[in-house]
Structure formats: structure tokens, C-alpha cells
Amino acid sequence: MGAKTWLIMYADGDPIQILRSRPQLDRTASAAVAAQLFPADRFTEAPDGSLAFACPPDNTLMVACFPGLTIVADGSLGIDYPSHLDRRFIDHAAGRKTYLHCMHSVVDWFAFAVWENGQLQRALSLSPDSGIMEDLGERLPFEAPYWSGQRPAVDPEDDPDDYPLPFHPLEMGEDALKALFGYNLEGEIDLTQPDPQTIPMMVFARKKAWWKLW
């Protein structure tokens, strides 16, 4: 698996239905969100990206504002403990439901969290190297097959010690994308689901401060 994400979504309704509607990107609102969340940074606009690659490098920010849904992708969101996310990202929700989704294929790490009215409802973070780093709140339905042993990381005839977790984090990460947002990046693709490559996101390149030019 090679998929990566570090994104947060703020939703007034169901993100799945909003993305299925092929919403129009609001560029003015997207630029405003970039300025609100990262007031100390200075940006220049770059060519648009897409939701399929919501894992920008540290010098880049991605934002997409649609009616009822705002998506932000930035490296600062990719933290081991989702419950410790910088409060400015939670406060920005202003009553909207908030979803964090992060995964990194190189280290088999997956994390996600959900907030309602600014209160954490669920947070999970795990990788084979670090184990289960965070497991807070009531587990969501899409998680059930993993915790019950229906999606083992290794085949039943193999040694279970071959992998240090009972299931593969990236497999759960893909199911989380589908359950929360209606799409996935790898694995079996449902042609009725939104194609993340067709969901545009504005890309903002961070300007280097003048005192860092040498």
C-alpha cells in the first residue's frame, strides 16, 4: 500500500453526500481558511491538487471549501496522538462535525479522530512499531470487523507473531475513508463512490521568510 493522508474535514452535513454531489470549489473561502488557520505563514497559490493526494509536504498547504464542507490537508495534522491536535483546528469547526484522518504507508501508521461540538468522540492511533498509541471513545461500526478478528493482519495458517498488531492499520485506514467520506484510495473501488481525483483542492506554497534565505 502506498496511500498517505493528513487531512481534516469540517462538515455541516454528511461528507459522503456532499462529495457525491460534485460540489463547486469556493476559491475565496478556501484562501480565507488558509489565512485563518495559518496566520503566521505567507502563501503563494500553486496549481490545484486533488483529494486523492491530500498529503502535501511541509512547505505546502491544501484547502478546499465547498457548500457544507471544508477540507484542509497539512503536515501539522499528522500527529501520533489525535486527541492532542492543536486547539485552533478544533475551534475552527464552529459547531461543525470534525473528522481527522491520517495514514502513512511507509510506517504502516493510521490515526483518526471525530469531534462533535468541539468535544472528542473517538480517537485512534496505531502502527506496528509503536503499537496502539491512542484508543479513546466508543469505537465506530467500520472498526468492528478489525477488533473482532475478522480482518487479521496475517493468514490464519501463518504465525501471528509475524505482525505485531492483530490487523493491518492501513486496511482500517482505507475502510475509514470509505465509511466517513465515501471513497478510498487503494483496494477495491466502488464505481458509484466519489472519485477523489475529481475533487479539487487549492494548493498554497509557503513562502520562505527572508531571514531564512541564507
Side-chain angles (χ1 to χ4, degrees):
M1 290 187 175
K4 301 175 186 177
T5 66
W6 26 92
L7 65 85
I8 194 167
M9 292 196 189
Y10 305 96
D12 289 322
D14 181 359
I16 296 175
Q17 296 304 319
I18 294 170
L19 291 175
R20 280 179 178 168
S21 71
R22 301 181 65 86
Q24 293 297 308
L25 179 64
D26 186 331
R27 294 182 174 278
T28 300
S30 298
V33 167
Q36 290 163 11
L37 285 175
F38 300 90
D41 292 337
R42 297 293 178 265
F43 298 104
T44 57
E45 287 189 27
D48 285 353
S50 80
L51 187 56
F53 302 99
C55 52
D58 289 343
N59 62 350
T60 304
L61 168 69
M62 299 175 72
V63 183
C65 288
F66 307 107
L69 183 68
T70 295
I71 308 171
V72 178
D74 185 76
S76 63
L77 297 168
I79 60 175
D80 288 338
Y81 296 88
S83 66
H84 297 179
L85 186 66
D86 191 308
R87 190 67 203 182
R88 78 180 189 274
F89 292 111
I90 309 307
D91 293 341
H92 184 77
R96 294 171 292 177
K97 194 165 184 177
T98 304
Y99 306 84
L100 177 72
H101 188 286
C102 303
M103 61 183 181
H104 199 308
S105 59
V106 174
V107 292
D108 286 357
W109 168 66
F110 166 59
F112 86 102
V114 180
W115 293 261
E116 289 198 55
N117 296 316
Q119 300 300 310
L120 183 68
Q121 302 298 307
R122 176 70 176 129
L124 175 69
S125 178
L126 70 168
S127 74
D129 288 338
S130 300
I132 299 174
M133 291 171 276
E134 192 160 70
D135 183 7
L136 304 175
E138 184 175 350
R139 291 170 177 170
L140 301 187
F142 75 84
E143 301 180 60
Y146 293 91
W147 298 113
S148 65
Q150 298 176 52
R151 300 291 301 274
V154 297
D155 292 332
E157 61 270 17
D158 294 335
D159 185 350
D161 292 335
D162 287 347
Y163 196 77
L165 290 170
F167 54 83
H168 202 293
L170 296 185
E171 289 185 1
M172 180 186 271
E174 291 289 347
D175 279 349
L177 283 174
K178 195 165 187 176
L180 299 175
F181 311 134
Y183 72 93
N184 54 292
L185 299 173
E186 294 197 343
E188 185 175 349
I189 302 296
D190 181 350
L191 296 180
T192 67
Q193 69 188 34
D195 181 354
Q197 295 190 66
T198 68
I199 307 296
M201 296 189 68
M202 291 188 70
V203 177
F204 301 91
R206 287 182 167 89
K207 292 183 179 180
K208 186 179 291 187
W210 64 267
W211 60 85
K212 296 180 181 179
L213 293 179
W214 57 80

